[in-house]
Amino acid sequence: MKINKYNNLVFTLLFGLGLSAQAQTKQWTLEECVRYALDNNITIKLSELDVKNAAIDKKDAFGNYLPSVNGSASHSWNVGLNQNITTGLLENQTTQYSSVGLSVGVDIYKGLQIQNTYRRTKLSIIASQYQLVKMQEDISLNVANAFLEILFNKENLKVKKEQMIIDEKRFARSEEMVKAGTIPRGDLYDLKATVATDQQAIIVAENSLLISKLSLAQLLQLKDFTDFDVIDDTNVKDENNILAQNPVDIYNKAKEIRTDLKIAQTNLEIAEKNVAIAKGAYQPTLSAFYNFNTRASYSDIVTGSVPNTLNPTSQIGYVEGTNQSVLTNNYSPVLGSPDGILDQFSNNKGQSFGFQLSVPIFNGFSVRNNVERNKVSLEKSKIDLEQKSLDLQRNVYTAFTDAKGALNAYESSTVTLEARQQSYNYAKEKYDVGLMNSFDFTQAQTLLTNAQSDLIRTKYDYMFKIKILEFYFGIPIVPVIQK
């Protein structure tokens, strides 16, 4: 019994600890942020829909190879004086007719437009896939930048708070020194203003941190970002040793893998297909067709004839010389019920088939103008590809130079902070023994604070510049993008 109570107590404690751990705010890693953004970002979802649309366009293009088959059926009522198509007589009546038809058409030759259109849709799918990858890359870079911005603001806020704690302690100690007559009361007022300035700096830093968190949460499309936070990751090492690479090697690598160039190259191939499609309109088109139709009537039909007793004969002429009338017997038709619908459909079948050749002779220069228009688009695509290559070269060399400069700035800021820290410690010792006034000590403290802020800024600037350079070398932000 005691054992059961002990087990229940242990279970209760473990369960309570589990709930407590779950209640803690989740801290997102950079990889989690990028993965979540790639799965939920609206812009990426729109690009994925563009890929689906391109696949549908390919199905449409493939359908042009297939024949078109259309069926038709109609049922009509004719009211008033009309001819009975079965008896051939004009009758004042209401008649009903049914008809069924089938038509088949297929393009045999169309200036290779069908083939080139299908090839263009395949290229369009590739282009939309490249565009999706580019969007994923852009979102990944934006997420990394926003992530590092949060880390910068968190460290900056930490420095501001630590500085305020130091100033508050100095203010409290200065109050005692004023009471003891060691320092003048004016120094106390200076320290009070310094504490108030620290409070303002903390408010600004807190607002900057909140805005940076909001920006990243919006990139991730988070609905509830009240408690959103990221894990503190301050690793500034060049793990991939990217700066050891030669800028020429990075550029050559980027030419092989960069999505921008792949998109421009694919658009160039699409433009070439558009020119081929436009030129196809110069050539004749040949198509084949087949038509089938049949009909049925619901009116009575003539099944026989009987002598007309009311008007048994009719004069059809006379004998020349004797003027004797030439008569013929009159008959009245005998009407009966029409044949069955299926029988009529079978008996009234009609078919037609053949080929149709269309040769373009003059169309108001529309074909020629369309060809010229597509040639202009082709030239623009060639220039765009060349421009993208130049832009890539410039961006790679700029990224390499920026990364080197950011590293130098970070190293310089580290040395500067160490010197400012030593200078501050020396000034504090002099201030504590009354050998330095409050104004000079505040200046030393301000220089230290500025050095700390510069170190934080240069550190995260260096981290982001390294990420950009790695990106051009084909190293993704996180290993989630499949090219």
Side-chain angles (χ1 to χ4, degrees), residues 100-103 290-295 344-353:
V100 177
L102 177 70
S103 62
Y290 169 80
N291 296 307
F292 168 84
N293 60 80
T294 184
R295 59 184 175 80
Q344 291 190 59
F345 280 156
S346 177
N347 296 331
N348 297 330
K349 290 185 296 185
Q351 304 179 61
S352 64
F353 54 87

Side-chain angles (χ1 to χ4, degrees), residues 6 8-9 21 31 47 96 173 331 344 390 394 399 417:
Y6 175 78
N8 291 335
L9 178 61
E31 181 174 346
S47 296
Q96 299 183 54
R173 185 172 180 276
Y331 295 90
Q344 291 190 59
L390 294 175
R394 183 183 67 251
L417 178 59

Side-chain angles (χ1 to χ4, degrees), residues 264-469:
Q265 180 62 43
T266 306
N267 288 337
L268 175 60
E269 295 175 6
I270 291 175
E272 291 174 345
K273 292 302 177 186
N274 286 334
V275 173
I277 293 171
K279 288 183 176 179
Y282 282 125
Q283 303 183 34
T285 60
L286 178 65
S287 60
F289 64 88
Y290 169 80
N291 296 307
F292 168 84
N293 60 80
T294 184
R295 59 184 175 80
S297 172
Y298 298 85
S299 302
D300 292 338
I301 62 174
V302 177
T303 59
S305 62
V306 294
N308 189 339
T309 57
L310 298 178
N311 185 19
T313 60
S314 296
Q315 181 178 350
I316 59 174
Y318 59 92
V319 178
E320 186 177 356
T322 62
N323 291 329
Q324 183 178 0
S325 297
V326 179
L327 303 177
T328 184
N329 295 326
N330 291 332
Y331 295 90
S332 297
V334 177
L335 302 179
S337 299
D339 295 337
I341 298 298
L342 296 180
D343 292 336
Q344 291 190 59
F345 280 156
S346 177
N347 296 331
N348 297 330
K349 290 185 296 185
Q351 304 179 61
S352 64
F353 54 87
F355 296 94
Q356 181 176 353
L357 178 65
S358 176
V359 180
I361 299 175
F362 182 74
N363 293 291
F365 303 111
S366 61
V367 176
R368 188 184 68 176
N369 292 337
N370 191 37
V371 171
E372 295 298 322
R373 189 180 299 110
N374 282 280
K375 285 183 177 180
V376 171
S377 298
L378 176 60
E379 291 300 318
K380 292 174 63 177
S381 297
K382 292 179 179 179
I383 295 174
D384 182 64
L385 177 59
E386 183 179 356
Q387 184 63 51
K388 286 291 192 300
S389 181
L390 294 175
D391 291 343
L392 178 61
Q393 185 180 33
R394 183 183 67 251
N395 292 338
V396 167
Y397 277 86
T398 301
F400 186 84
T401 304
D402 289 344
K404 294 279 285 188
L407 175 60
N408 295 332
Y410 173 65
E411 292 174 345
S412 298
S413 297
T414 303
V415 175
T416 301
L417 178 59
E418 293 176 356
R420 291 300 181 190
Q421 184 66 54
Q422 293 175 0
S423 177
Y424 171 78
N425 293 337
Y426 179 68
K428 185 175 183 300
E429 292 176 359
K430 293 176 64 176
Y431 178 77
D432 290 340
V433 297
L435 297 178
M436 179 179 285
N437 59 36
S438 176
F439 177 79
D440 292 336
F441 181 69
T442 300
Q443 291 297 315
Q445 184 179 8
T446 301
L447 292 174
L448 175 62
T449 302
N450 292 338
Q452 291 172 331
S453 299
D454 286 341
L455 179 64
I456 297 173
R457 178 183 57 80
T458 56
K459 178 176 69 172
Y460 287 107
D461 182 62
Y462 168 65
M463 292 175 64
F464 185 65
K465 296 295 174 54
I466 285 296
K467 287 293 184 183
I468 293 178
L469 194 58

